[in-house]
Amino acid sequence: MSRSTINKLPLDVVIEVKRRLRSGSFDQVEIVSWLNGLGHSITKSALNRFAINLKKDDQALGLDREIMAGQGADVAALFEELALLKAREAEILARLKTVMIP
């Protein structure tokens, strides 16, 4: 996923946004209100673009949101772990770029 406005938020917030979008329990207006309440200036359009890309990424992985939403905490925890691993990978790659001689 690209470096959207949402992806620039703290990792724990991004994970929670993804969890809320995937759960189907929150609409985008509620998520934007929650984010803005946390002090992040996020527009509905930015969240909508993020949601569209997240859905595409999930579909590319063969993930069905309705099935995921019904799986509960175990699936959510695995997605959170995956998000942390991806963030760690990005950090390591960035560090490698700084230490490698061109």
Side-chain angles (χ1 to χ4, degrees), residues 5-23:
T5 305
I6 307 296
N7 278 322
K8 293 176 184 173
L9 298 173
L11 182 58
D12 60 327
V13 175
V14 175
I15 290 170
E16 181 61 19
V17 168
K18 288 179 179 182
R19 187 192 68 75
R20 289 178 184 217
L21 287 169
R22 286 179 172 132
S23 76

Side-chain angles (χ1 to χ4, degrees), residues 13-75:
V13 175
V14 175
I15 290 170
E16 181 61 19
V17 168
K18 288 179 179 182
R19 187 192 68 75
R20 289 178 184 217
L21 287 169
R22 286 179 172 132
S23 76
S25 300
F26 301 88
D27 66 33
Q28 291 186 12
V29 172
E30 291 172 317
I31 297 171
V32 168
S33 294
W34 170 72
L35 288 167
N36 289 330
L38 292 176
H40 305 292
S41 181
I42 302 298
T43 64
K44 171 93 169 53
S45 296
L47 181 63
N48 189 54
R49 285 188 301 273
F50 182 83
I52 289 168
N53 287 327
L54 180 63
K55 187 173 185 174
K56 286 178 185 176
D57 289 348
D58 288 350
Q59 288 172 340
L61 293 172
L63 302 174
D64 183 315
R65 284 210 177 160
E66 289 182 23
I67 293 171
M68 288 189 308
Q71 297 299 312
D74 291 339
V75 171

